[in-house]
Amino acid sequence: MRGLGDLESAVMDILWCAETPLKVREVLEQLDTGKNLAYTTVMTVLDNLHRKQWAERERHGKAFVYHPAQSRAQAAAKSLREVLNESGDPEAVLLHFATTVSPEESAVLRKGLRRTARE
């Protein structure tokens, strides 16, 4: 995801797939990075994600539990908006993107645009 490092992205993937908020230890147990990560490393990553407003946390006893601050789709849309804003020519970017979509994605876009036009 745009704006996240590799480890932050891996942690967010775990949070997005979780059905309930997770403790640091639970995130650590699910991480499969090929590296032996320390508990404190994952705790720091989660703290950074909270500071960057990617994750929210609540205290449960002595520990925090973490959950995504927004859905994966919302985060992706926000990243796309940032790309468009930074491009200098959002119309050109959108038109180039439109040439790469599948027929199914094109149908979804048309449906979304019709819905937006009605609102």
Side-chain angles (χ1 to χ4, degrees), residues 30-97:
Q30 293 183 46
L31 271 172
D32 184 19
T33 63
K35 299 176 185 175
N36 191 12
L37 297 172
Y39 176 93
T40 53
T41 300
V42 177
M43 183 173 63
T44 299
V45 169
L46 284 162
D47 187 57
N48 289 341
L49 289 168
H50 176 258
R51 185 177 42 76
K52 293 178 177 182
Q53 299 180 340
W54 282 86
E56 294 179 349
R57 68 183 178 195
E58 300 168 21
R59 186 170 292 279
H60 280 218
K62 293 182 180 182
F64 284 112
V65 291
Y66 293 84
H67 58 93
Q70 56 193 343
S71 72
R72 187 187 304 261
Q74 289 169 320
K78 181 179 176 183
S79 293
L80 179 56
R81 172 52 47 206
E82 290 171 4
V83 168
L84 291 172
N85 289 346
E86 295 168 5
S87 72
D89 191 352
E91 182 179 331
V93 173
L94 284 170
L95 292 173
H96 283 291
F97 175 75

